[in-house]
Amino acid sequence: MAREPIAWTSRRRLLHRVRTAAWPVSLVVCFGALGLIWALPGMRRRSERKAARCTICRRHRGRARLFIGGFVILQALGAATAAYTAAAPPLLCHAHVYPDGRVESEPRLQDVSPPRTWGIARDIANASTTGLALLASKTAGMRECDGPPLTVTFWQPPRVSGGGSTVGDIFVAWMPAGEEGSSFLRGAQGFGLAAEGRGLLATEGQQYVRYGPNISSTRGNEMELARHESRHTDQWAIMTLIGGPLAFPAAYYADGAFFPFSRNHFERAASLSDGGYTAPPDNLPAPLPGAAAAVGVVLLLVLRRRIRWFSRILAAGRTGAIAHQPGRCPLHTTGWFHHPEQHRFASGEAPRGGPGLSFRDGAGP
């Protein structure tokens, strides 16, 4: 009986060590290299001090941990899906499927895949995003085929894919075509496998079914589109390494709000001509009102507390910077430009309703 408390203490110590080691890894998974900033010992101690003094900081800290934990689990699920797909790749895109069940592959597109070392590195960096995109595509009822340079998901017949978006290492051909026959190549008759018995399938007297989305009209155009989307995959990988899986879509949308379509800097970096874009007459901003307003609203929501805190600094200087309400840090103290008991909080005198707390030791915003 005397050894039970020791065993319990050992378990707690082990769990503490595991949490301590897992926290930096979780931050990197969620926020890339930038996550290492929050993993620094000084940042961690600062967060603990603020949580001990501010009820809202403590609440936000708990919610952040739940979000990060859930996000890590989601990323692990995506990475496992990507690994499973890599171990059992689907049928090659644009394979010729004949009525008798024969499958013949077209010559692989040349000069569209990255160098082997970088290709492996970006596959690893994008693994979680790729797997989640593949799961979402399958849930929506899409089929997949193997590139190169990317895995492609596309609608089953009779729906026709006319374009799409790169998500990690997956090209999701979700856009509908302008007309049913617009994406057929000469000699191709429809989509899908001949054995599926649905949609536009090869029958006796027809040549073959060209399996895949068949977005491009020529092999040369396919090569250009493959290079364009491969560069987007590079962008996904680099941004993921820097800021996590959500960094690229956030940056792409924010840029597209002010530089839309062919003005988008990510599209220009991936080659407008290869992507089928018409080059704009200039690269000046041409904001989309709705998207730009959405970006502005998000920024205001994220920064509203710091803007409020800064308003008190403008009104009262250093006194406004350290003034706070009971149980709150200066950042989460309510009131714009001033509040009724600001002078009492700044002096450390206990305000009505509770003791005063000082954030002069650097635990403020």
Side-chain angles (χ1 to χ4, degrees):
M1 297 295 293
R3 298 179 60 182
E4 290 183 1
I6 299 177
W8 169 247
T9 302
S10 299
R11 284 196 296 269
R12 290 190 62 182
R13 186 181 296 112
L14 177 61
L15 289 174
H16 175 73
R17 290 176 178 174
V18 170
R19 286 197 299 266
T20 302
W23 182 242
V25 176
S26 301
L27 290 174
V28 171
V29 169
C30 292
F31 307 110
L34 294 178
L36 293 175
I37 297 175
W38 284 277
L40 294 174
M43 293 292 292
R44 186 168 183 173
R45 287 193 296 268
R46 181 174 181 269
S47 175
E48 291 173 351
R49 287 198 303 267
K50 292 185 67 176
R53 301 181 179 191
C54 176
T55 56
I56 297 180
C57 289
R58 183 162 56 251
R59 188 187 312 153
H60 288 179
R61 189 167 183 252
R63 291 174 180 174
R65 287 178 176 273
L66 287 176
F67 169 80
I68 291 173
F71 195 75
V72 168
I73 293 173
L74 196 63
Q75 296 300 299
L77 175 63
T81 303
Y84 176 80
T85 303
L91 187 67
L92 285 174
C93 292
H94 305 150
H96 298 181
V97 182
Y98 290 86
D100 59 5
R102 288 183 297 117
V103 178
E104 295 181 0
S105 299
E106 291 184 355
R108 284 180 173 267
L109 298 176
Q110 302 298 316
D111 301 324
V112 296
S113 298
R116 180 175 176 79
T117 302
W118 169 241
I120 295 174
R122 79 175 189 180
D123 287 348
I124 295 173
N126 289 331
S128 58
T129 304
T130 299
L132 292 176
L134 187 59
L135 283 175
S137 298
K138 288 184 176 181
T139 302
M142 303 178 80
R143 296 296 299 268
E144 69 269 7
C145 61
D146 192 21
L150 311 176
T151 300
V152 179
T153 60
F154 57 95
W155 296 116
Q156 297 190 78
R159 298 181 70 176
V160 180
S161 298
S165 305
T166 296
V167 183
D169 287 347
I170 293 280
F171 181 75
V172 183
W174 59 273
M175 298 180 184
E179 56 185 63
E180 289 295 310
S182 63
S183 58
F184 291 149
L185 297 189
R186 182 176 300 175
Q189 298 291 334
F191 304 79
L193 291 171
E196 287 182 330
R198 58 176 299 178
L200 301 172
L201 301 176
T203 59
E204 295 297 335
Q206 293 180 340
Q207 291 176 296
Y208 57 82
V209 170
R210 194 168 187 261
Y211 187 73
N214 294 322
I215 294 173
S216 305
S217 57
T218 66
R219 287 275 294 181
N221 185 247
E222 280 180 358
M223 188 177 299
E224 293 172 353
L225 182 60
R227 283 198 300 263
H228 178 84
E229 300 304 334
S230 182
R231 294 186 187 109
H232 279 320
T233 299
D234 294 340
Q235 294 168 355
W236 266 98
I238 293 171
M239 293 294 289
T240 297
L241 292 173
I242 295 173
L246 299 179
F248 178 72
Y252 185 96
Y253 183 86
D255 188 271
F258 301 95
F259 296 88
F261 311 116
S262 57
R263 297 175 184 269
N264 187 288
H265 291 86
F266 293 101
E267 295 294 349
R268 295 171 73 90
S271 177
L272 294 178
S273 58
D274 286 350
Y277 288 92
T278 301
D282 55 62
N283 195 31
L284 297 176
L288 299 175
V295 172
V297 169
V298 170
L299 287 176
L300 285 176
L301 289 175
V302 172
L303 300 176
R304 69 188 187 280
R305 293 187 180 91
R306 292 194 176 274
I307 296 174
R308 182 180 62 191
W309 174 64
F310 187 67
S311 74
R312 295 198 296 270
I313 296 177
L314 291 177
R318 179 170 174 77
T319 301
I322 62 176
H324 64 93
Q325 293 170 324
R328 294 194 178 198
C329 65
L331 188 65
H332 291 119
T333 293
T334 59
W336 290 80
F337 295 100
H338 71 279
H339 54 83
E341 296 186 323
Q342 180 175 338
H343 63 285
R344 296 167 65 90
F345 301 159
S347 64
E349 180 183 348
R352 291 187 295 271
L357 295 174
S358 174
F359 280 78
R360 296 174 184 268
D361 60 354

